[in-house]
Amino acid sequence: MRNLSELNMNQRGRPANRLPPSKNDIKSFQASFNVVLPEEYIAFLNHSNGGHPELDAIIPIGGDVIHPRGVDHFYYLNNDRDGPQSIWPRAEAWRNLLGSNFLAFAEDAGGNPYLFDLSCDPLAVCTCLHDDELSIVTVSSSFGAFIDALAYDPDMI
């Protein structure tokens, strides 16, 4: 996985500075959702617990190079279970809609979630297109591959 500093994570234009999740926060989340989070994702949370990546464009597997998808922000993980960008309510809401094989961790500007596909090993990353009958599109084979594939949005340069 690339050096996470390359993502230039920020919160509303300011450097991301939320404290990393505690071991108890991670353990509690994993127990609540019956999941083992990938080590690469935990490393990401320890680097930047939520926020917007400057490298925010990604082309899904087999996707259109001309129209990359965007990553607006990653959810944060701590003991705040109600915050608007907390992973807790987002993961629960999408799980209720899509079933227990998916766990939301980020979203695009249109509110489409990025999800771990819990039926894969390693956990693949997908997105759910809510305006397209909740279709699931595989984005990358793992969280590390997802992070490695993030690039500058060519429309924003």
Side-chain angles (χ1 to χ4, degrees):
M1 185 167 71
R2 75 176 349 138
N3 180 332
L4 295 171
S5 296
E6 294 174 21
L7 300 177
N8 197 18
M9 296 296 293
N10 65 84
Q11 294 170 347
R12 298 186 178 149
R14 295 189 175 127
N17 62 359
R18 186 175 283 112
L19 293 174
S22 70
K23 288 181 181 181
N24 190 49
D25 293 333
I26 294 169
K27 190 176 182 179
S28 179
F29 183 83
Q30 291 182 133
S32 293
F33 287 91
N34 193 29
V35 64
V36 176
L37 296 172
E39 288 299 319
E40 293 167 323
Y41 179 62
I42 292 172
F44 172 81
L45 289 172
N46 286 322
H47 172 78
S48 174
N49 192 3
H52 172 78
E54 190 172 295
L55 300 179
D56 62 354
I58 190 163
I59 299 166
I61 294 173
D64 182 355
V65 177
I66 304 296
H67 300 101
R69 301 217 40 91
V71 179
D72 185 68
H73 63 276
F74 289 87
Y75 308 138
Y76 63 84
L77 173 59
N78 59 22
N79 63 357
D80 174 5
R81 295 185 181 209
D82 300 314
Q85 292 184 4
S86 170
I87 192 171
W88 289 92
R90 302 302 181 124
E92 184 66 33
W94 284 107
R95 178 169 274 194
N96 288 339
L97 191 60
L98 300 174
S100 61
N101 278 340
F102 296 101
L103 182 75
F105 66 87
E107 65 185 51
D108 69 15
N112 296 301
Y114 286 94
L115 312 152
F116 288 118
D117 182 345
L118 304 177
S119 69
C120 299
D121 186 20
L123 304 183
V125 172
C126 303
T127 189
C128 173
L129 305 176
H130 60 70
D131 288 342
D132 189 18
E133 299 180 18
L134 299 178
S135 64
I136 303 293
V137 176
T138 302
V139 177
S140 64
S141 60
S142 69
F143 184 75
F146 178 78
I147 293 298
D148 288 345
L150 289 173
Y152 288 106
D153 183 340
D155 293 333
M156 301 304 284
I157 294 178

